[in-house]
Amino acid sequence: MALQYDLLGEFYVALDAKGRFRLPSGLLKGLGDRDTLKFVVNRGFDHCLTLYPKPVWDTIKIEVDALNKFNRKNLQFTRLFYRGASELVPDSADRLLLPKQLLAWARVDKNLVLNALNDRIEIWAETEYEALLNGELEDYAALAEDVLGGSSAGIGEDI
């Protein structure tokens, strides 16, 4: 069973010359014991990277591995999901070294945005993140209506 996380926030960080960034203290608080902290990073959607705490990755991996690989879409998804996936362990200064091929794919130069999404963290090139948000802010209310408007829990009623 995966650990429960409650990661929240946007964090602007910079890569050093070696391609490392320091995990902000706001994220570290929600990640648990630093001595056993491990992650897996892979390609996310929309040219971002997704950083999973290892227990979350392990849970998702079980679901992906259970897909019928004789189904072409399942096989294609599995290949894309694992493509470039790398295990990361923070160093003594709480820095993570991102693989160069993933940085290139995500169009990262130096400045990153870490966007925490409860149990995972999206890693964006700052310019890509800002462009994405600028294009989506107008559609937020319509999206909320589509996604939450029919919710029986009433979550979207006040948005």
Side-chain angles (χ1 to χ4, degrees):
M1 184 169 113
L3 297 173
Q4 295 295 317
Y5 294 93
D6 190 17
L7 304 174
L8 185 64
E10 291 177 331
F11 304 88
Y12 289 74
V13 298
L15 290 176
D16 66 14
K18 294 182 180 179
R20 300 174 299 192
F21 70 91
R22 188 177 183 290
L23 287 164
S25 59
L27 283 177
L28 284 168
K29 288 177 191 174
L31 289 166
D33 183 13
R34 286 182 175 167
D35 294 333
T36 60
L37 200 54
K38 291 183 182 177
F39 297 95
V40 174
V41 64
N42 73 344
R43 289 169 169 82
F45 303 114
D46 300 318
H47 278 277
C48 75
L49 304 177
T50 304
L51 183 68
Y52 299 92
K54 186 74 165 65
V56 173
W57 172 266
D58 290 342
T59 299
I60 294 169
K61 180 183 176 308
I62 290 168
E63 292 179 44
V64 172
D65 291 346
L67 294 172
N68 178 350
K69 304 307 183 289
F70 289 102
N71 177 303
R72 185 166 293 282
K73 285 185 179 183
N74 290 351
L75 180 58
Q76 183 180 20
F77 173 79
T78 302
R79 286 177 180 153
L80 293 172
F81 181 75
Y82 279 109
R83 185 174 175 214
S86 303
E87 188 169 298
L88 304 177
V89 178
D91 67 12
S92 60
D94 298 322
R95 294 175 300 196
L96 292 175
L97 175 64
L98 294 171
K100 290 185 187 305
Q101 76 274 14
L102 291 180
L103 288 172
W105 182 84
R107 303 173 182 153
V108 171
D109 51 12
K110 182 165 177 62
N111 296 315
L112 301 175
V113 179
L114 308 178
N115 183 37
L117 298 175
N118 190 36
D119 66 348
R120 64 199 69 187
I121 302 162
E122 291 181 331
I123 301 173
W124 290 88
E126 184 177 350
T127 54
E128 295 287 327
Y129 186 73
E130 296 299 331
L132 177 79
L133 290 185
N134 288 337
E136 291 184 350
L137 289 178
E138 301 163 1
D139 301 327
Y140 183 54
L143 181 61
E145 182 178 351
D146 288 347
V147 173
L148 299 173
S151 172
S152 60
I155 295 171
E157 292 176 1
D158 294 331
I159 294 180

